[in-house]
Amino acid sequence: GRRGEPHLAGDGFVRIGEGSGSTNVLTGSGVDEAWTTGVLAAQGALELLRAGQPFTKKNLDRAYVARRRVSWVDADGRVAEKARDGFTRGVVSGLVGMALAGMTRGLVAMPGRSLPPAKRVPTVEEYYAGRIAPEEIARIRQDCAARGLSLHGALMDRCGWPAIPYDGQLLVTHQDALLMGGKVQAPPGYADHVVFLYPHLCETCGTKICIEACSGQAIAPAGPGVPAFDREKCVHCGACLWNCAASHPEDPERTTVEFRGGTGGLHSAEN
Ligand SMILES: Cc1cc2nc3c(=O)[nH]c(=O)nc-3n(C[C@H](O)[C@H](O)[C@H](O)COP(=O)(O)OP(=O)(O)OC[C@H]3O[C@@H](n4cnc5c(N)ncnc54)[C@H](O)[C@@H]3O)c2cc1C
Ligand code: SF4
Ligand code: SF4
């Protein structure tokens, strides 16, 4: 819903559908909303093409985001926006909150305890508290950093998770299935689509939690500074956008990792 709405437009791209926060979290309706945002984006794109104007963020804000703000999707989304906040306190508060929001068209809702993304992410030490001592994590971290590896494999081994035998019967995740379809690489010269906006914040970041959260092991340790990003491994899942230990200086609802428009991406085996 609108609570999880990421930036809707950037230079060269717009976001539509569920991944753009269009789903109505009060009614659970998402199909009409997703289609409508796609139609609005197409109308905006046609308007710019007809006027011979480029797909810059500024133009897309005007041609698409403004259309969306006056659409029924946005109006319904505002009613639903806080409907589920109560679930951060418990199931009963959540259900009462949904009933209140529904009956008052969003005017009254159960207040939640929602934190901005950067404050929601536990450190590795917090996550493993009681299972692995911080000193041992520090040792494993040092060892992984020296080998350019993320921590999570080593920590799962340490916790006793068995290695998965390669028997040809592996369950295949959604993202892996997409990967089997193949990846279209951005040609040389194109900028990376994952951007670390504030290198100085990465330099002082103790947790480097983006490395551990990355679904494709595309973000890797690179000394004390900005982590290394390998776009050939990226599965475009967006986890890094929300799993960063630092808040965006101008908007606490965002982190310091940003997606940019660009070429490259996954395609499924079917298409
Ligand atoms: C159990 C359930 C019941 C629901 N019931 C209803 C209902 O009754 N009525 C209703 O209106 N809504 C319902 N919804 C919500 C609705 O289904 C969604 O809001 C809607 O389908 C979102 O459409 P979308 O096109 O934005 O996203 P999706 O339908 O999620 O499409 C996203 C597509 O992107 C693909 N993809 C993901 N990652 C990548 C990648 N890296 N590269 C390439 N492709 C990728 C996925 O495979 C997927 O096909 C329900 C949802 C669920 C889960
Ligand atoms: S992107 Fe965020 S989590 Fe990753 S190193 Fe930079 S500040 Fe830390
Ligand atoms: S989008 Fe996903 S796979 Fe790509 S860098 Fe971010 S977390 Fe890693």
Side-chain angles (χ1 to χ4, degrees):
R2 274 177 59 94
R3 268 293 153 83
E5 184 183 274
H7 24 289
L8 293 177
D11 285 330
F13 73 93
V14 295
R15 304 184 72 145
I16 60 169
E18 184 144 284
S20 73
S22 60
T23 301
N24 186 317
V25 297
L26 177 59
T27 62
S29 169
V31 173
D32 289 351
E33 287 78 357
W35 276 108
T36 302
T37 58
V39 170
L40 295 173
Q43 287 171 341
L46 285 173
E47 180 186 306
L48 293 178
L49 285 173
R50 285 199 190 104
Q53 293 176 341
F55 291 160
T56 57
K57 177 176 184 328
K58 196 169 160 221
N59 288 343
L60 290 165
D61 275 344
R62 197 186 67 244
Y64 166 58
V65 181
R67 266 190 170 80
R68 188 155 158 176
R69 292 293 173 238
V70 295
S71 70
W72 66 266
V73 175
D74 219 67
D76 287 2
R78 278 193 293 274
V79 171
E81 187 169 3
K82 296 178 183 160
R84 294 200 188 192
D85 286 8
F87 283 108
T88 57
R89 293 170 181 274
V91 175
V92 176
S93 318
L95 292 173
V96 172
M98 284 189 80
L100 285 173
M103 286 187 295
T104 63
R105 301 262 320 137
L107 291 176
V108 181
M110 188 68 87
R113 285 200 200 112
S114 186
L115 295 169
K119 297 217 165 16
R120 268 180 241 152
V121 193
T123 62
V124 170
E125 287 75 5
E126 283 162 355
Y127 183 80
Y128 283 100
R131 286 180 287 174
I132 312 179
E135 303 75 42
E136 189 177 356
I137 294 179
R139 271 200 307 279
I140 298 174
R141 189 190 290 278
Q142 224 173 3
D143 179 50
C144 287
R147 293 190 289 144
L149 298 174
S150 56
L151 263 176
H152 54 249
L155 292 175
M156 285 174 77
D157 289 348
R158 163 64 183 74
C159 284
W161 284 87
I164 300 171
Y166 291 102
D167 60 358
Q169 304 292 315
L170 285 175
L171 287 175
V172 176
T173 66
H174 174 81
Q175 296 290 355
D176 288 340
L178 281 164
L179 268 177
M180 285 175 197
K183 177 148 191 190
V184 186
Q185 290 302 337
Y190 274 85
D192 284 337
H193 58 280
V194 170
V195 183
F196 303 96
L197 289 174
Y198 298 97
H200 67 284
L201 293 179
C202 295
E203 269 157 33
T204 52
C205 171
T207 71
K208 301 260 191 294
I209 202 70
C210 58
I211 296 172
E212 309 315 323
C214 174
S215 314
Q217 301 194 358
I219 304 179
V226 182
F229 172 64
D230 180 349
R231 67 184 175 206
E232 297 201 11
K233 291 184 181 166
C234 175
V235 294
H236 304 257
C237 67
C240 50
L241 291 179
W242 309 112
N243 289 279
C244 161
S247 287
H248 190 288
E250 284 157 25
D251 180 0
E253 288 301 320
R254 287 170 59 192
T255 69
T256 68
V257 183
E258 188 175 83
F259 263 21
R260 296 264 165 89
T263 60
L266 302 186
H267 58 83
S268 72
E270 279 104 45
N271 65 17

